[in-house]
Amino acid sequence: MSSFKKYNILSWKKLHFLVTPSELNSILNSHHFVVDNTGVADDYTESNPYEFITKYDALYQKLKNGNRLNWKTDYGIAGLSTGITGHIANCKYQKTAQLNIPDFSEPCIHIDTFCFHIWKNQFSTSFWVGQSPENICGLCISFPSKVEFYSPDKMQSGRIVIGDELADYVTYNTIILNIKSITKPLVMEWNNQIKRTTVRISATAKKDIEHFHFVSLNNIQIL
């Protein structure tokens, strides 16, 4: 099997959100879960959704209980991530000497954790969670907005495709609509300032985030 690289993601569209584990299960339960960022065993085709939801539940309970996460000891849940697709046929793996690696014909949706970071008097979601795992406050769903596709024929390489031409664009929009249907923008008060974020949060999760380590440590009021 060829090791030819099929595409390069040039830009992403993202939505940060916080929902309960049961709400997340309802949002994602009709889609395929796939490993999209590391190697897999020879017989792997897709992941059991239960495994991801169970790990998210473990993460959520720690956050809800005000635990301070540590990257070294909590990596299994702090570094939680998965690919999501409605087109499992696009998500094949290439055999190597050790593990099989993703060899997708198109990129799929990606979900991972996000953290807040207070930067220049703003609540940034741009920092890597490994830098501040104690500040994790939910998940980020990402989908390519622009992709450059390559071809073995160099004369045919460099084709730019926008996100809504990809197979999983409808899948991504469906998930986004499901998230938005049960969430509203997260608004916080910090240092006597109102902070209107782009993070979406459900009514139930809004009660729980008050106990998150990041929120309590920084004396943040959830509005």
Side-chain angles (χ1 to χ4, degrees):
M1 184 179 293
S2 171
S3 60
F4 176 75
K5 184 178 180 181
K6 293 180 172 63
Y7 56 80
N8 178 46
I9 299 173
L10 301 177
S11 59
W12 297 85
K13 56 177 68 178
K14 299 184 177 186
L15 178 69
H16 300 82
F17 67 102
L18 179 66
V19 295
T20 67
S22 61
E23 289 169 337
L24 183 66
N25 186 50
S26 297
I27 290 167
L28 301 178
N29 66 4
S30 62
H31 305 293
H32 299 279
F33 289 60
V34 292
V35 173
D36 63 345
N37 58 0
T38 190
V40 297
D42 282 350
D43 59 350
Y44 177 88
T45 54
E46 60 181 297
S47 302
N48 184 339
Y50 176 78
E51 296 176 1
F52 182 83
I53 299 299
T54 298
K55 287 184 178 180
Y56 180 68
D57 182 67
L59 170 66
Y60 192 89
Q61 295 308 318
K62 279 205 168 190
L63 295 173
K64 180 180 175 180
N65 291 330
N67 295 121
R68 179 188 175 96
L69 296 178
N70 178 281
W71 188 248
K72 183 176 181 179
T73 57
D74 295 309
Y75 171 77
I77 55 175
L80 185 64
S81 71
T82 188
I84 298 286
T85 184
H87 301 271
I88 193 67
N90 289 342
C91 302
K92 303 299 184 182
Y93 297 86
Q94 176 177 286
K95 187 176 181 60
T96 68
Q98 296 180 325
L99 294 172
N100 293 358
I101 59 174
D103 186 39
F104 296 1
S105 59
E106 288 190 6
C108 65
I109 301 156
H110 183 76
I111 296 179
D112 57 5
T113 53
F114 84 87
C115 67
F116 275 121
H117 192 90
I118 299 176
W119 176 254
K120 296 183 179 179
N121 205 40
Q122 298 296 325
F123 288 90
S124 173
T125 57
S126 300
F127 287 76
W128 176 50
V129 293
Q131 294 175 290
S132 305
E134 68 277 9
N135 294 351
I136 289 175
C137 283
L139 298 172
C140 175
I141 179 168
S142 307
F143 190 69
S145 58
K146 187 180 293 185
V147 182
E148 180 179 15
F149 279 86
Y150 302 129
S151 168
D153 181 352
K154 291 183 180 181
M155 297 297 293
Q156 301 298 320
S157 283
R159 180 171 63 96
I160 304 297
V161 172
I162 58 175
D164 60 7
E165 297 179 56
L166 299 173
D168 268 322
Y169 178 71
V170 173
T171 308
Y172 173 76
N173 271 348
T174 299
I175 294 174
I176 292 296
L177 289 173
N178 288 341
I179 293 171
K180 289 185 174 180
S181 71
I182 63 168
T183 62
K184 293 183 178 180
L186 173 63
V187 182
M188 303 181 287
E189 183 177 350
W190 174 71
N191 280 356
N192 298 315
Q193 302 173 54
I194 303 300
K195 299 295 182 181
R196 302 183 185 279
T197 75
T198 58
V199 177
R200 309 262 324 176
I201 188 168
S202 71
T204 305
K206 187 176 178 180
K207 299 175 183 177
D208 294 332
I209 197 175
E210 295 178 354
H211 307 291
F212 283 25
H213 176 79
F214 172 77
V215 173
S216 59
L217 178 68
N218 292 286
N219 297 314
I220 296 168
Q221 298 298 312
I222 306 299
L223 303 180

